[in-house]
Amino acid sequence: MLLQCLGRKPPLQLHSLAAWSALYTRGFATNHIGTSSASPSKLDEIMKVDALIDKTPEEVQDIWTNYHDVLEKTDQRAGTVLHRSNWTNFEPTANSAPNFVLPVTKGPGKSLNMLLQCQLPFVLFTQLEDYKQMKEYAPPAMIVTHYTELIKSHDLILARADILQPHMLTKPEASSLLRTFHLMYSDPGRFIHVHRFNHDPDNFRWEEMVAELGAERLKD
């Protein structure tokens, strides 16, 4: 039923990379998709990369996560760090299976389904209902940017999620979505759901995937 709602045949109509990546330089209209804007696409536009050269990987990770968890003045950004080993698994899977849907728990018995579209280093998250109505013109709720500038020197990839529709996603929900998304694409056992969604939709089982996610969250 989920795939029928998405219109899996023909393939999903993706947001134009040229169209929405251009928004990084001019910002998003606040009356269109919220009060936040997407982050710069280059790490040195966010922080002094040269100052990190002498830092250990652990120190860089602490700086990035502490900034987003403690020092960030807005509730509309979340940050995380991937290690090279995770990225080695994540990058090819994101390129080979760019689309997926993940649920966001909004309370007892309530959830919001988010369609994600990978166009690395960016990942776009759009409310499924919005996509069904507006296709590629649906406004994104969140954009994740992956910064690979430190992969050679520190074996790290820094990731930042910008919440573009804060009325739809809270910062804790965005952080949880970010963790789940990376887990689904970097863990071979979980990626099978993503692969089926993209390449074998007849065997994709939404209820099975959601049940596994629920069991995993109970462990946290």
Side-chain angles (χ1 to χ4, degrees), residues 111-150:
S111 64
L112 183 71
N113 294 327
M114 303 297 296
L115 170 68
L116 67 89
Q117 298 173 316
C118 300
Q119 297 187 43
L120 295 182
F122 312 111
V123 181
L124 204 65
F125 289 80
T126 306
Q127 184 183 5
L128 181 57
E129 289 300 318
D130 288 346
Y131 178 83
K132 284 159 59 178
Q133 294 178 23
M134 293 179 277
K135 303 302 180 186
E136 70 269 29
Y137 300 104
M142 184 172 82
I143 289 181
V144 176
T145 306
H146 296 87
Y147 300 98
T148 60
E149 287 90 333
L150 299 178

Coordinates of all heavy atoms in Angstrom, one line a residue, residues 111-150:
S111 N 2.5 8.9 14.3 CA 3.8 8.9 13.6 C 3.6 9.8 12.3 O 2.5 10.0 11.8 CB 4.3 7.5 13.2 OG 3.4 6.9 12.3
L112 N 4.8 10.2 11.8 CA 4.9 11.0 10.6 C 5.8 10.3 9.7 O 7.0 10.0 10.1 CB 5.4 12.4 11.0 CG 5.5 13.4 9.8 CD1 4.1 13.9 9.4 CD2 6.3 14.7 10.3
N113 N 5.4 10.0 8.5 CA 6.3 9.3 7.5 C 7.0 10.3 6.7 O 6.5 11.2 6.1 CB 5.4 8.4 6.6 CG 4.8 7.2 7.4 OD1 5.4 6.8 8.4 ND2 3.6 6.8 7.0
M114 N 8.4 10.1 6.6 CA 9.2 11.0 5.9 C 9.9 10.3 4.7 O 10.5 9.2 4.9 CB 10.3 11.5 6.8 CG 9.8 12.3 8.1 SD 8.9 13.8 7.7 CE 10.1 14.8 6.9
L115 N 9.8 10.8 3.6 CA 10.4 10.3 2.4 C 11.8 11.0 2.3 O 12.0 12.2 2.4 CB 9.6 10.7 1.1 CG 10.3 10.4 -0.2 CD1 10.5 9.0 -0.5 CD2 9.6 11.1 -1.4
L116 N 12.8 10.1 2.2 CA 14.2 10.6 2.1 C 14.7 10.4 0.7 O 14.4 9.4 0.0 CB 15.1 10.1 3.1 CG 15.5 8.6 3.1 CD1 16.7 8.3 2.3 CD2 15.7 8.1 4.5
Q117 N 15.5 11.3 0.2 CA 16.1 11.2 -1.2 C 17.6 11.6 -1.1 O 17.9 12.7 -0.7 CB 15.4 12.2 -2.1 CG 13.9 11.8 -2.3 CD 13.1 12.8 -3.1 OE1 13.3 14.0 -2.9 NE2 12.3 12.4 -4.1
C118 N 18.4 10.7 -1.4 CA 19.9 10.9 -1.3 C 20.4 11.4 -2.6 O 20.3 10.8 -3.6 CB 20.6 9.5 -0.9 SG 20.1 8.8 0.6
Q119 N 21.1 12.5 -2.5 CA 21.9 13.1 -3.6 C 23.2 13.6 -2.9 O 23.3 14.8 -2.8 CB 21.1 14.2 -4.3 CG 19.9 13.6 -5.0 CD 19.2 14.7 -5.9 OE1 19.9 15.4 -6.6 NE2 17.9 14.8 -5.8
L120 N 24.0 12.6 -2.5 CA 25.2 13.0 -1.7 C 26.0 14.1 -2.3 O 26.2 14.2 -3.5 CB 26.1 11.7 -1.5 CG 25.4 10.6 -0.7 CD1 26.4 9.4 -0.5 CD2 24.9 11.1 0.7
P121 N 26.5 15.0 -1.4 CA 26.6 14.9 0.0 C 25.3 15.3 0.7 O 25.3 15.4 2.0 CB 27.7 15.9 0.4 CG 27.6 16.9 -0.7 CD 27.2 16.2 -1.9
F122 N 24.2 15.6 0.0 CA 22.9 16.0 0.6 C 21.9 14.9 0.7 O 21.9 14.0 -0.2 CB 22.3 17.2 -0.2 CG 23.3 18.2 -0.6 CD1 23.8 18.4 -1.9 CD2 23.9 19.1 0.4 CE1 24.7 19.4 -2.2 CE2 24.8 20.1 0.1 CZ 25.2 20.2 -1.2
V123 N 21.1 15.0 1.7 CA 19.9 14.1 1.8 C 18.7 14.9 2.1 O 18.8 15.7 3.1 CB 20.1 13.0 2.8 CG1 18.9 12.1 2.9 CG2 21.4 12.2 2.5
L124 N 17.7 14.8 1.4 CA 16.5 15.6 1.5 C 15.4 14.8 2.2 O 15.1 13.6 1.8 CB 16.0 16.0 0.1 CG 15.2 17.3 0.0 CD1 16.0 18.5 0.5 CD2 14.7 17.5 -1.4
F125 N 14.8 15.3 3.2 CA 13.6 14.7 3.9 C 12.4 15.5 3.7 O 12.3 16.7 4.0 CB 13.9 14.5 5.4 CG 15.0 13.5 5.7 CD1 16.3 13.9 5.6 CD2 14.6 12.3 6.2 CE1 17.3 13.0 6.0 CE2 15.6 11.4 6.5 CZ 17.0 11.7 6.4
T126 N 11.3 14.8 3.2 CA 10.1 15.5 2.8 C 8.9 14.7 3.4 O 9.0 13.4 3.4 CB 9.9 15.5 1.3 OG1 11.0 16.2 0.7 CG2 8.6 16.3 1.0
Q127 N 8.0 15.3 4.0 CA 6.8 14.6 4.5 C 6.1 13.9 3.4 O 5.9 14.4 2.3 CB 5.8 15.6 5.2 CG 4.6 14.8 5.8 CD 3.6 15.8 6.4 OE1 3.7 17.0 6.3 NE2 2.6 15.3 7.1
L128 N 5.8 12.6 3.6 CA 5.3 11.7 2.6 C 4.0 12.3 2.0 O 3.8 12.3 0.8 CB 5.1 10.3 3.1 CG 4.5 9.3 2.1 CD1 5.5 9.1 0.9 CD2 4.4 7.9 2.8
E129 N 3.1 12.8 2.8 CA 1.9 13.4 2.4 C 2.1 14.5 1.4 O 1.4 14.7 0.4 CB 1.0 13.8 3.5 CG 0.4 12.6 4.3 CD -0.5 11.7 3.4 OE1 -1.3 12.2 2.6 OE2 -0.4 10.5 3.5
D130 N 3.1 15.4 1.8 CA 3.4 16.5 0.9 C 3.9 16.0 -0.4 O 3.6 16.6 -1.5 CB 4.5 17.4 1.6 CG 3.9 18.2 2.7 OD1 2.7 18.2 2.9 OD2 4.7 18.7 3.5
Y131 N 4.8 15.0 -0.4 CA 5.3 14.5 -1.7 C 4.2 13.9 -2.5 O 4.2 14.1 -3.8 CB 6.4 13.4 -1.4 CG 6.9 12.8 -2.7 CD1 7.9 13.5 -3.5 CD2 6.3 11.7 -3.2 CE1 8.3 13.0 -4.7 CE2 6.8 11.2 -4.5 CZ 7.8 11.8 -5.2 OH 8.2 11.3 -6.4
K132 N 3.3 13.2 -1.9 CA 2.2 12.6 -2.7 C 1.3 13.6 -3.4 O 0.8 13.4 -4.5 CB 1.3 11.7 -1.8 CG 1.9 10.4 -1.4 CD 1.4 9.8 -0.1 CE -0.1 9.6 -0.2 NZ -0.7 9.0 1.0
Q133 N 1.2 14.8 -2.8 CA 0.4 15.8 -3.4 C 1.2 16.7 -4.4 O 0.6 17.1 -5.4 CB -0.1 16.7 -2.3 CG -1.1 16.0 -1.3 CD -1.6 16.9 -0.2 OE1 -1.6 18.2 -0.3 NE2 -2.1 16.4 0.9
M134 N 2.5 17.0 -4.1 CA 3.2 17.9 -4.9 C 4.4 17.4 -5.6 O 5.1 18.1 -6.3 CB 3.6 19.1 -4.0 CG 2.5 19.9 -3.5 SD 3.1 21.3 -2.4 CE 3.2 20.4 -0.8
K135 N 4.7 16.1 -5.4 CA 5.8 15.4 -6.1 C 7.1 16.2 -5.8 O 7.4 16.6 -4.7 CB 5.6 15.3 -7.6 CG 4.3 14.4 -7.9 CD 4.4 13.1 -7.2 CE 3.1 12.3 -7.5 NZ 3.1 11.0 -6.8
E136 N 7.9 16.5 -6.9 CA 9.2 17.1 -6.7 C 9.1 18.5 -6.2 O 10.1 19.2 -5.8 CB 10.1 17.0 -7.9 CG 9.6 17.9 -9.1 CD 8.6 17.2 -10.0 OE1 7.9 16.3 -9.5 OE2 8.6 17.5 -11.2
Y137 N 7.9 19.1 -6.2 CA 7.7 20.5 -5.8 C 7.4 20.6 -4.3 O 7.2 21.7 -3.7 CB 6.6 21.2 -6.6 CG 6.9 21.2 -8.0 CD1 6.3 20.4 -8.9 CD2 7.9 22.1 -8.5 CE1 6.6 20.4 -10.3 CE2 8.2 22.2 -9.9 CZ 7.5 21.3 -10.8 OH 7.8 21.3 -12.1
A138 N 7.3 19.4 -3.6 CA 7.0 19.4 -2.2 C 8.2 20.1 -1.4 O 9.3 19.8 -1.6 CB 6.8 18.0 -1.7
P139 N 7.9 20.9 -0.4 CA 8.9 21.6 0.3 C 9.6 20.6 1.3 O 8.9 19.8 2.0 CB 8.2 22.7 1.1 CG 6.8 22.2 1.2 CD 6.5 21.4 -0.1
P140 N 10.9 20.6 1.4 CA 11.6 19.7 2.3 C 11.3 20.1 3.8 O 11.2 21.3 4.1 CB 13.0 19.8 1.9 CG 13.1 21.2 1.3 CD 11.8 21.4 0.6
A141 N 11.3 19.1 4.6 CA 11.2 19.4 6.1 C 12.6 19.4 6.7 O 12.8 20.1 7.7 CB 10.4 18.3 6.8
M142 N 13.6 18.8 6.1 CA 14.9 18.7 6.7 C 15.9 18.4 5.6 O 15.6 17.6 4.6 CB 15.0 17.7 7.8 CG 16.3 17.6 8.5 SD 16.3 16.5 9.9 CE 16.5 14.9 9.1
I143 N 17.1 19.0 5.6 CA 18.2 18.7 4.7 C 19.4 18.3 5.5 O 19.8 19.0 6.5 CB 18.5 19.9 3.8 CG1 17.4 20.0 2.7 CG2 19.8 19.6 3.0 CD1 17.7 21.2 1.7
V144 N 20.0 17.2 5.2 CA 21.2 16.8 5.8 C 22.4 17.0 4.9 O 22.3 16.6 3.7 CB 21.2 15.3 6.2 CG1 22.5 14.8 6.8 CG2 20.0 15.1 7.2
T145 N 23.4 17.6 5.4 CA 24.7 17.9 4.6 C 25.8 17.1 5.2 O 26.0 17.1 6.4 CB 25.0 19.4 4.6 OG1 23.9 20.1 4.1 CG2 26.2 19.6 3.7
H146 N 26.5 16.3 4.4 CA 27.7 15.5 4.9 C 29.0 16.3 4.4 O 29.1 16.5 3.2 CB 27.6 14.1 4.3 CG 26.5 13.3 4.8 ND1 25.3 13.4 4.1 CD2 26.3 12.5 5.8 CE1 24.4 12.6 4.7 NE2 25.0 12.0 5.7
Y147 N 29.8 16.5 5.4 CA 31.1 17.2 5.1 C 32.2 16.2 5.2 O 32.5 15.6 6.2 CB 31.3 18.3 6.1 CG 30.3 19.3 6.1 CD1 29.2 19.3 7.1 CD2 30.3 20.4 5.2 CE1 28.2 20.3 7.0 CE2 29.3 21.3 5.1 CZ 28.2 21.3 6.1 OH 27.2 22.2 6.0
T148 N 32.9 16.0 4.0 CA 33.9 14.9 3.9 C 35.4 15.5 4.0 O 36.3 14.8 3.7 CB 33.8 14.1 2.6 OG1 33.9 15.1 1.5 CG2 32.4 13.5 2.6
E149 N 35.5 16.8 4.3 CA 36.8 17.4 4.3 C 37.8 16.7 5.2 O 39.1 16.8 5.0 CB 36.7 18.9 4.6 CG 36.1 19.7 3.4 CD 34.6 19.8 3.5 OE1 34.0 18.9 4.1 OE2 34.1 20.8 3.0
L150 N 37.4 16.1 6.3 CA 38.3 15.6 7.3 C 38.4 14.0 7.2 O 39.0 13.4 8.1 CB 37.7 15.9 8.7 CG 37.6 17.4 9.0 CD1 37.1 17.6 10.4 CD2 39.0 18.1 8.9

